[in-house]
Structure formats: structure tokens, C-alpha cells
């Protein structure tokens, strides 16, 4: 489960479960867009999900600050500690 908050038109989610990061990305975008997660296109069509999980999992030394990508009309930004921000691109 992620804990989401909205600020300045951007939703930020703090990870509170042990799910894979990419699963949390899909659920956060689904929550923001008021869409069932299964109705969203596969995240792997947009970004290499294994690489994203590995980048964040391996960034405990602070090397990764953020990574951003477009998904379903939103800009998704993931920080090195796994926080997820979702902002509309419209």
C-alpha cells in the first residue's frame, strides 16, 4: 500500500508496503486517475520495470536522486528512497 498526498497538483506517495516499486507506481497512477489498476496499460510498455526496481533498490548510497518518465498522461517521478510523485502532463 502507498500513502498518497496531493500538493500543488502533484500526488506524492510514500511506500508503506513491501510490494515492488513498479506495482506501487501503477497503483499510484490508478489512484490519481481514478482508474482500476488493471485497466491501465502495462508499465513495461513505457519503462524497463526490472531496471527501475534495480535502480531504486541499489540507490541506498544516494547515487540515484530521481528518475522521471511519462505514463498514462502523467509525469511519474521516483526518488532514490522509493517515493513516487505523479503530476498531470496536461
Amino acid at each position: 500500500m502507498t500513502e498518497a498526498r496531493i500538493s500543488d497538483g502533484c500526488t506524492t506517495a510514500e511506500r508503506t508496503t513491501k510490494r515492488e516499486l513498479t506495482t506501487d507506481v501503477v497503483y499510484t497512477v490508478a489512484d490519481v486517475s481514478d482508474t482500476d489498476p488493471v485497466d491501465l496499460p502495462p508499465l513495461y510498455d513505457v519503462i524497463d520495470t526490472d531496471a527501475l526496481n534495480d535502480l531504486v533498490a541499489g540507490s541506498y548510497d544516494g547515487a540515484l536522486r530521481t528518475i522521471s518518465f511519462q505514463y498514462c498522461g502523467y509525469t511519474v517521478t521516483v526518488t532514490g528512497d522509493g517515493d513516487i510523485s505523479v503530476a498531470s502532463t496536461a
Side-chain angles (χ1 to χ4, degrees), residues 15-52:
R15 300 182 70 218
T16 57
T17 65
K18 300 289 185 187
R19 285 192 306 215
E20 281 195 340
L21 171 70
T22 51
T23 301
D24 283 341
V25 167
V26 172
Y27 275 80
T28 302
V29 171
D31 190 41
V32 169
S33 63
D34 198 29
T35 305
D36 191 311
V38 298
D39 292 335
L40 294 176
L43 184 61
Y44 60 76
D45 284 348
V46 177
I47 191 167
D48 183 330
T49 54
D50 290 334
L52 180 60

